[in-house]
Amino acid sequence: MRAEAISPRRGHDVIQLLIGGIASGCIYGLVALGFVLIYKATEGVNFAQGDMMMLGAFIALGCVNSGYLGLAFLPGVLLAAAVMGGIGYGIDRLVVRRIFGQPQFALVILTIALGFVLRFVAGTIWGYTPLVLETPYAGQAVRIGGVIIGVEDIITILVTAGLTLLLWLFFARTRIGLAAQAASQNQLAAYIVGIPVRRVNSLIWGLSGAVATVAGVLYASKGAIDPNIGLLGIKAFAAAVIGGFGSLPGALLGGILIGVVEPLAARYLPGGFSQMSPYILMLIVLVTRPAGLFSQIQAKKV
Amino acid sequence: MESVLEVRNVETYYGAIMALRGVSLDVKAGRIVTILGANGAGKTTLMKTVSGLMDPEKGQIRFLGQRIDGLDPDRIVNMGLAHVPEGREVFPYLTVAENLRLGAYTRKGGGIAEDIDLVYAYFPILKERRGQVAGTLSGGQQQMLAIGRGLMARPRLMLLDEPSLGLSPLLTQEIFAIIARLNEEQGVTMLLVEQNAHIALQTAHEGYVLELGRIVMAGTSEELQASEDIQEFYLGRQGETQRAQKRWKRRKTWR
């Protein structure tokens, strides 16, 4: 780029765009993480992931906002994540497990339908007019050397980093996390060593529900929410594909990539490119590196 | 002698295909029992039915006197039955040590580190490679890992499905020598499925012959090795005639 042509003020501009982009990218990344978690565990794609994020955001709103339960922010969000974890577990236990062993396509249709159901449930309970989640940090900003950064962006980035670390610890260090990895790598062998594979799958659905809630709360702290925000799931899906669908860090980085490209495209390219950019990026990655940027396909010896 | 495993009239289906047509067999404590049979005879189906990966349509399976047919595999492992599946089936992106630790997944209490050392004692190469990801091991090493992982469950009975699959003759000898040692030194009872009838009958005490989902012959290894049918169809020995050349195709006496 023409670095010398960028004035100090425009430099600040770019940094602000970048930080905002990383923050929204973190949200895409977290939703993409939900996709990948379920894909790795069950080899199926949950197209309702975006809607789970939406529902999580609304449940958090129901816990926190003064018109509803009016809990304190942090306990309210944790409660919402727990509730959503239960819902995720229940969806797998009661619905998805029934089609265990059916063709992949059945799960695709099922989860798309599930997404619609979740959307209507949220619409029925909370209505279709946009609502705002009451956060203790709404509208605040800090100024660092001339760059103005929204507090919600900083929190989004920090929470995403923290959650990623927690997930990593869970998978690398706990017995059940190791079992989940094993079940995703070789289901037959997992059964053979005595891992209750179906229960582990349900647990992963619950986990991805909880992660979706965190993503939803972070999303809601940047603006109003309505039952259709779940459509963001499509962008997160693109992020997961870019990352190599199956790699947790890949999903996160794919999300951040999309999050950064979007505002930059809006700023420097003709109108319309910004909306297209995630998918253009996905196409480029698919054509040049079909397995994604961070694929785990090394060598499965047979 | 006490029977560790009793299979009675088990019928298992693959969809509409009847893979096991009423199989019965016994495995006595401390023995190595082998099941011989050609491709598609139903050997692997039988193993999967015993370990709970498949459910039988009819019949009963008793392990240590308790019914286990229809139970989930994790319950059956927990009772002390380890299955070492065909084609190795390790966890490719986990290390050797993690694979072994997962073998003890259903166990409670201590002794796991000691048992990992025991596995390393039998398979020194695994100790060398303990930090390596299992997918990058050679086929023989993966087979050793699969057997070691089975041992980690401290099994009363171990099901071994085609341990020689895809291995060189030398490596096959080595693996079977270790199988025999495990049986002798650790007292692990084994049910062994094998296409290589030679080595299977050398290692095992008793054997069954499975054809098209039915047991067609049973006996001690010596009896089976002496049988003309087994010699002809499983050990590949040619019958000798006056002209030193066979001019007819032998028919199996069990049909």
Side-chain angles (χ1 to χ4, degrees), chain A residues 112-148:
Chain A
I112 289 175
L114 197 69
F116 278 103
V117 171
L118 295 185
R119 226 170 292 163
F120 289 124
V121 166
T124 310
I125 301 176
W126 289 282
Y128 290 90
T129 44
L131 295 174
V132 176
L133 174 68
E134 294 164 6
T135 61
Y137 49 89
Q140 296 173 28
V142 289
R143 175 186 281 267
I144 304 168
V147 183
I148 299 165

Side-chain angles (χ1 to χ4, degrees), chain A residues 175 185-186 189 192 194 296 301, chain B residues 74 77 83 89-90 93 105:
Chain A
R175 194 173 107 100
Q185 289 174 19
N186 191 335
I192 281 170
Q296 212 182 23
K301 275 194 191 164
Chain B
D74 50 302
V77 183
H83 183 177
E89 307 285 354
V90 295
Y93 303 118
Y105 186 80

Side-chain angles (χ1 to χ4, degrees), chain A residues 7-274:
Chain A
S7 68
R9 279 210 49 204
R10 283 191 65 194
H12 288 166
D13 236 32
V14 171
I15 292 173
Q16 260 163 246
L17 277 181
L18 274 180
I19 290 176
I22 291 173
S24 39
C26 283
I27 295 171
Y28 302 148
L30 285 180
V31 179
L33 218 59
F35 273 114
V36 171
L37 279 175
I38 289 180
Y39 178 74
K40 281 185 72 142
T42 64
E43 305 258 301
V45 178
N46 169 24
F47 281 100
Q49 194 64 40
D51 299 291
M52 280 167 75
M53 178 203 89
M54 176 275 300
L55 192 63
F58 270 109
I59 291 175
L61 186 144
C63 291
V64 170
N65 272 20
S66 45
Y68 296 91
L69 276 182
L71 297 174
F73 184 71
L74 202 58
V77 169
L78 290 180
L79 178 65
V83 168
M84 226 14 238
I87 290 176
Y89 190 100
I91 288 175
D92 183 64
R93 181 74 189 78
L94 302 173
V95 184
V96 176
R97 201 182 286 184
R98 311 266 155 178
I99 61 159
F100 199 77
Q102 300 292 320
Q104 287 293 310
F105 198 62
L107 184 67
V108 171
I109 296 296
L110 182 86
T111 53
I112 289 175
L114 197 69
F116 278 103
V117 171
L118 295 185
R119 226 170 292 163
F120 289 124
V121 166
T124 310
I125 301 176
W126 289 282
Y128 290 90
T129 44
L131 295 174
V132 176
L133 174 68
E134 294 164 6
T135 61
Y137 49 89
Q140 296 173 28
V142 289
R143 175 186 281 267
I144 304 168
V147 183
I148 299 165
I149 305 167
V151 172
E152 70 269 10
D153 284 350
I154 298 175
I155 287 182
T156 299
I157 294 170
L158 290 180
V159 166
T160 305
L163 192 62
T164 310
L165 187 70
L166 273 181
L167 281 175
W168 180 79
L169 283 176
F170 169 74
F171 280 110
R173 292 292 148 85
T174 65
R175 194 173 107 100
I176 192 87
L178 192 64
Q181 278 195 68
S184 84
Q185 289 174 19
N186 191 335
Q187 205 166 36
L188 176 81
Y191 271 122
I192 281 170
V193 299
I195 294 169
V197 175
R198 291 177 204 186
R199 205 174 330 138
V200 168
N201 284 353
S202 297
L203 217 65
I204 293 293
W205 270 80
L207 190 65
S208 102
V211 171
T213 307
V214 174
V217 169
L218 295 173
Y219 182 90
S221 63
K222 295 184 79 158
I225 52 172
D226 65 65
N228 288 320
I229 59 166
L231 293 174
L232 177 129
I234 298 171
K235 243 185 261 176
F237 182 73
V241 171
I242 288 172
F245 230 106
S247 150
L248 294 179
L252 212 58
L253 289 173
I256 290 173
L257 205 61
I258 285 181
V260 168
V261 164
E262 255 187 335
L264 288 180
R267 182 83 164 73
Y268 296 108
L269 293 176
F273 270 99
S274 158

